[in-house]
Short mmCIF file of all heavy atoms in Angstrom, two decimals:
data_model
loop_
_atom_site.label_atom_id
_atom_site.label_comp_id
_atom_site.label_asym_id
_atom_site.label_seq_id
_atom_site.Cartn_x
_atom_site.Cartn_y
_atom_site.Cartn_z
N ALA A 230 19.86 -9.29 -3.72
CA ALA A 230 18.51 -8.72 -3.95
C ALA A 230 18.51 -7.25 -3.50
O ALA A 230 17.94 -6.40 -4.23
CB ALA A 230 17.47 -9.51 -3.15
N LYS A 231 19.10 -6.94 -2.40
CA LYS A 231 19.16 -5.56 -1.93
C LYS A 231 19.97 -4.67 -2.91
O LYS A 231 19.58 -3.53 -3.17
CB LYS A 231 19.76 -5.49 -0.53
CG LYS A 231 18.85 -6.07 0.54
CD LYS A 231 19.46 -5.87 1.92
CE LYS A 231 18.51 -6.36 3.05
NZ LYS A 231 19.08 -6.16 4.38
N TRP A 232 21.02 -5.23 -3.44
CA TRP A 232 21.81 -4.49 -4.42
C TRP A 232 20.95 -4.21 -5.66
O TRP A 232 20.98 -3.11 -6.21
CB TRP A 232 23.03 -5.27 -4.81
CG TRP A 232 23.95 -4.54 -5.76
CD1 TRP A 232 24.92 -3.65 -5.48
CD2 TRP A 232 23.96 -4.67 -7.17
NE1 TRP A 232 25.50 -3.19 -6.63
CE2 TRP A 232 24.95 -3.80 -7.71
CE3 TRP A 232 23.21 -5.44 -8.07
CZ2 TRP A 232 25.19 -3.68 -9.07
CZ3 TRP A 232 23.45 -5.32 -9.45
CH2 TRP A 232 24.45 -4.46 -9.92
N LEU A 233 20.21 -5.20 -6.12
CA LEU A 233 19.39 -5.02 -7.31
C LEU A 233 18.32 -3.96 -7.06
O LEU A 233 18.02 -3.12 -7.96
CB LEU A 233 18.75 -6.34 -7.70
CG LEU A 233 19.67 -7.40 -8.29
CD1 LEU A 233 18.92 -8.72 -8.40
CD2 LEU A 233 20.18 -6.98 -9.62
N ILE A 234 17.66 -4.01 -5.89
CA ILE A 234 16.64 -3.03 -5.58
C ILE A 234 17.21 -1.63 -5.50
O ILE A 234 16.58 -0.65 -5.89
CB ILE A 234 15.95 -3.38 -4.25
CG1 ILE A 234 15.13 -4.66 -4.38
CG2 ILE A 234 15.06 -2.24 -3.75
CD1 ILE A 234 14.56 -5.18 -3.10
N GLY A 235 18.46 -1.53 -5.12
CA GLY A 235 19.11 -0.24 -5.03
C GLY A 235 19.43 0.35 -6.39
O GLY A 235 19.82 1.53 -6.50
N ARG A 236 19.32 -0.46 -7.46
CA ARG A 236 19.59 0.01 -8.79
C ARG A 236 18.28 0.22 -9.53
O ARG A 236 17.70 -0.72 -10.04
CB ARG A 236 20.47 -1.00 -9.57
CG ARG A 236 21.82 -1.25 -8.91
CD ARG A 236 22.64 0.02 -8.68
NE ARG A 236 23.97 -0.24 -8.17
CZ ARG A 236 24.22 -0.36 -6.84
NH1 ARG A 236 23.26 -0.27 -5.94
NH2 ARG A 236 25.49 -0.55 -6.44
N GLN A 237 17.75 1.40 -9.50
CA GLN A 237 16.42 1.69 -10.04
C GLN A 237 16.33 1.34 -11.52
O GLN A 237 15.27 0.94 -12.01
CB GLN A 237 16.03 3.15 -9.81
CG GLN A 237 15.80 3.50 -8.34
CD GLN A 237 14.63 2.73 -7.74
OE1 GLN A 237 13.53 2.75 -8.28
NE2 GLN A 237 14.90 2.00 -6.66
N MET A 238 17.41 1.50 -12.27
CA MET A 238 17.37 1.15 -13.67
C MET A 238 17.11 -0.35 -13.86
O MET A 238 16.32 -0.74 -14.73
CB MET A 238 18.69 1.51 -14.35
CG MET A 238 18.73 1.23 -15.87
SD MET A 238 17.52 2.15 -16.80
CE MET A 238 18.25 3.80 -16.70
N LEU A 239 17.73 -1.18 -13.04
CA LEU A 239 17.51 -2.61 -13.12
C LEU A 239 16.07 -2.95 -12.72
O LEU A 239 15.46 -3.83 -13.34
CB LEU A 239 18.48 -3.35 -12.23
CG LEU A 239 19.96 -3.36 -12.68
CD1 LEU A 239 20.81 -4.04 -11.64
CD2 LEU A 239 20.12 -4.03 -14.05
N LEU A 240 15.54 -2.24 -11.74
CA LEU A 240 14.15 -2.49 -11.33
C LEU A 240 13.18 -2.20 -12.49
O LEU A 240 12.24 -2.96 -12.72
CB LEU A 240 13.75 -1.61 -10.15
CG LEU A 240 14.11 -2.13 -8.72
CD1 LEU A 240 13.47 -1.21 -7.71
CD2 LEU A 240 13.63 -3.56 -8.55
N ARG A 241 13.44 -1.12 -13.21
CA ARG A 241 12.58 -0.82 -14.36
C ARG A 241 12.68 -1.89 -15.41
O ARG A 241 11.66 -2.18 -16.08
CB ARG A 241 12.97 0.57 -14.95
CG ARG A 241 12.52 1.74 -14.06
CD ARG A 241 12.63 3.05 -14.82
NE ARG A 241 14.02 3.47 -14.97
CZ ARG A 241 14.65 4.22 -14.07
NH1 ARG A 241 14.03 4.62 -12.97
NH2 ARG A 241 15.89 4.58 -14.28
N CYS A 242 13.87 -2.49 -15.59
CA CYS A 242 13.96 -3.54 -16.58
C CYS A 242 13.22 -4.81 -16.10
O CYS A 242 12.73 -5.56 -16.95
CB CYS A 242 15.44 -3.90 -16.77
SG CYS A 242 16.39 -2.55 -17.56
#
Side-chain angles (χ1 to χ4, degrees):
K231 289 184 177 180
W232 183 85
L233 289 171
I234 291 173
R236 302 303 184 272
Q237 291 298 305
M238 181 61 73
L239 290 176
L240 275 188
R241 285 193 287 271
C242 294

